[in-house]
Amino acid sequence: MRVLLVGAGGVGTAVTRIAARRDFLTHMVVADYDLARAEAAVAELAEHGGRFSARRLDASDQDAVRRVLVEERCDVLLNATDPRFVMLLFNAALAAGTHYLDMAMSLSAPHATAPYEQCGVKLGDEQFARTDAWARSGRLALVGMGVEPGLSDVFARYAADELFDDIEEIGVRDGSNLTVEGYDFAPSFSIWTTIEECLNPPVVYEKDRGWFTTAPFSEPEVFDFPDGIGPVECVNVEHEEVLLIPRWVEARRVTFKYGLGDDFIAKLKTLHELGLDSTAEVTVPSADGPVQVSPRDVVAACLPDPATLGDRMKGKTCAGTWVKGTKDGAARQVYLYHVVDNEWSMREYGSQAVVWQTAINPVIALELIADGSWVGSGVLGPEALSPRPFLDLLTEYGAPWGMREEH
C-alpha cells in the first residue's frame, strides 16, 4: 500500500513511527507545509529501507494534493491535519480516485437562533453529503478513525455485535491523570481542535428525539477510570461519535463526555469571553505594517507544541466506551477501554501518550484495508465495519484493550 500522509505534527510523526514496523506499507509520502518537519520525521526512519519520503505540500491547495496523489501512485490519503482542511483533502482524494481516511470530521456550525437546543450544521454533514459520489467511485472514505472518534466507535459496534441484545445508552468517556512538568497550562493535544470541540454546543442523540444540543460543559458526572487513573469529572463535549454511532448501531441514547477539569474549563471560558477562540481574522499592527491573524492561531502559537511535551509528561490517558443495556434478559453495563502510559509510549516510540494513542488506530485501519479485512465504498464510520479484526490487530500491535463489567 502506498500512502500520502498529510501533516507531520505530533500525530503524523507518531503514525510514521508505528507504520514503519509493519510490512503492509510499501511507501509513505510524508507531506507538510513545513518541509523541515516532514524531513525530520523521515530522517529518523532511514533504517526502514527507504519506504518513507518527504514533500512540501499545502493542505489548502486541493489541486496540488490531487496531483501528488496521482504522481506518487498513492492508494490512500491519510489526513493528519486539523479539521479546517478536512473537506479540501477529502475532495482531493475523491478527485484522484484514492481511498481517504481521517481522524476528525468536517466542521460544525451552531444553529443561528437556538445553538444550545438545536443542531445547525453537524460534524461530518459536509462529508456525508458526498456519500453517493464516493460510492460511485468505488472508493472508501473512512471518517473519524482516530482513537475518539475511531477506536471508541469500534468498541460500540463490538458491544452491539457480541455483548448486548438491546442497548439503552452508549457513552464515550475520556479521562486521564496526565501532568506536564513546568507548565501551568499545556494541552496534550492540538489547542485549535480542543477549543473547537469544547466551546461548540455539545450534541446528544436520543432515538425518540434525534440529535440535539446542550450548553458547553453540561451534565457533569464523575467517572471512575481504570488502571489507576481513578475518578475524573466528565462533561458533555461536541464529538464525532455522537454523530457516527447512531448511523450504524441501535441505541436509545448516545453521549460523549470528556474529563477536562475545572481549571481547564475556566481557561477555555476565559478565551471565549475575550474572543480569543475566534477563527475570524483581525488586523494587528506589525513592524512591516498591518497583518491579518486569527486569534485562535495566536493562542496556539503561544502554547507549547503538544508533540514536544512527552519528556515532561507523566501519567496515563484512557479512551473508552461505556455501554448500558441487556444481554439474555439481564441488565448489563460494561466499559471497553484503551489505556496508554506516557512513560511506555515515550520509551517504545518516542511519542507522548495522547498523540500515540490517536495515531495507532488509523495505521491499523490502513493495514485492514490493505489486507482486505475491511472493504467498503462510500463515506463510512468505523462502526460500519467488522470490529473483531481491528481489536485483534490492536492487541497484536502491542497495545491491548480492556473490558470492565460495571455495577
Side-chain angles (χ1 to χ4, degrees):
M1 172 180 276
R2 295 182 63 86
V3 178
L4 172 62
L5 169 67
V6 184
V11 173
T13 298
V15 162
T16 66
R17 294 167 179 169
I18 297 165
R21 304 187 184 189
R22 305 300 297 185
D23 293 337
F24 78 91
L25 183 71
T26 305
H27 191 82
M28 178 174 282
V29 180
V30 182
D32 197 280
Y33 186 80
D34 182 350
L35 178 59
R37 195 159 68 163
E39 289 176 334
V42 170
E44 69 176 63
L45 303 171
E47 65 186 82
H48 291 279
R51 291 190 297 153
F52 295 83
S53 60
R55 287 189 68 150
R56 184 188 181 281
L57 184 61
D58 182 350
S60 68
D61 188 338
Q62 182 175 315
D63 195 55
V65 176
R66 181 196 60 78
R67 289 197 305 270
V68 171
L69 285 166
V70 174
E71 290 168 9
E72 296 285 356
R73 299 175 287 108
C74 293
D75 303 295
V76 59
L77 186 160
L78 172 54
N79 177 3
T81 65
D82 73 54
R84 285 174 290 183
F85 303 103
V86 162
M87 289 309 298
L88 292 159
L89 298 175
F90 177 83
N91 288 328
L94 178 61
T98 71
H99 299 302
Y100 169 86
L101 195 154
D102 64 30
M103 292 162 270
M105 296 170 65
S106 59
L107 292 170
S108 64
H111 190 278
T113 58
Y116 302 138
E117 299 171 12
Q118 300 177 42
C119 294
V121 176
K122 301 188 298 299
L123 291 168
D125 273 358
E126 286 187 87
Q127 288 173 289
F128 282 113
R130 303 220 64 192
T131 295
D132 289 346
W134 275 92
R136 288 193 301 271
S137 77
R139 301 298 182 184
L140 171 63
L142 180 57
V143 297
M145 192 58 255
V147 60
E148 292 176 334
L151 177 58
S152 51
D153 303 73
V154 173
F155 283 148
R157 176 62 185 268
Y158 173 75
D161 286 358
E162 302 196 25
L163 304 179
F164 289 85
D165 298 322
D166 179 74
I167 294 176
E168 178 181 335
E169 182 169 353
I170 296 174
V172 179
R173 300 292 184 265
D174 180 310
S176 77
N177 60 3
L178 291 170
T179 59
V180 183
E181 182 183 354
Y183 289 98
D184 292 327
F185 185 61
S188 57
F189 203 70
S190 161
I191 188 62
W192 201 100
T193 304
T194 301
I195 288 173
E196 182 72 19
E197 62 190 24
C198 291
L199 291 178
N200 279 350
V203 180
V204 174
Y205 172 82
E206 292 180 359
K207 188 173 183 179
D208 295 336
R209 186 175 173 183
W211 286 293
F212 61 94
T213 57
T214 69
F217 317 120
S218 57
E219 298 182 1
E221 68 174 63
V222 175
F223 192 85
D224 189 16
F225 288 92
D227 283 11
I229 295 174
V232 177
E233 185 176 83
C234 299
V235 293
N236 279 328
V237 170
E238 181 191 49
H239 233 250
E240 287 91 342
E241 292 93 326
V242 179
L243 287 312
L244 285 171
I245 289 171
R247 295 174 185 269
W248 290 281
V249 178
E250 282 285 329
R252 289 190 285 283
R253 180 175 165 89
V254 181
T255 58
F256 177 95
K257 293 189 180 183
Y258 194 11
L260 295 172
D262 291 341
D263 182 64
F264 196 92
I265 290 173
K267 286 182 169 63
L268 290 173
K269 286 181 175 178
T270 299
L271 290 175
H272 178 64
E273 289 163 0
L274 295 174
L276 295 175
D277 60 325
S278 174
T279 59
E281 292 185 344
V282 297
T283 303
V284 177
S286 78
D288 299 320
V291 294
Q292 298 293 114
V293 296
S294 154
R296 191 184 301 185
D297 287 340
V298 173
V299 171
C302 291
L303 291 172
D305 180 351
T308 67
L309 296 175
D311 291 334
R312 293 173 173 264
M313 286 173 60
K314 293 183 179 179
K316 299 176 180 178
T317 185
C318 179
T321 304
W322 164 75
V323 186
K324 178 182 180 181
T326 59
K327 177 67 173 178
D328 298 327
R332 188 182 198 187
Q333 295 185 50
V334 303
Y335 182 58
L336 302 155
Y337 63 90
H338 187 250
V339 173
V340 179
D341 186 319
N342 187 73
E343 181 181 354
W344 175 87
S345 64
M346 286 297 297
R347 182 179 67 248
E348 293 295 318
Y349 286 89
S351 296
Q352 53 103 321
V354 177
V355 299
W356 186 89
Q357 188 183 45
T358 303
I360 189 172
N361 299 286
V363 179
I364 291 172
L366 288 173
E367 183 160 346
L368 293 175
I369 294 168
D371 71 17
S373 297
W374 273 9
V375 177
S377 62
V379 181
L380 301 179
E383 53 280 276
L385 300 163
S386 177
R388 176 54 74 177
F390 189 99
L391 295 175
D392 289 346
L393 201 50
L394 183 64
T395 300
E396 184 183 313
Y397 272 55
W401 56 284
M403 184 177 84
R404 182 180 71 188
E405 294 281 350
E406 305 285 283
H407 303 287

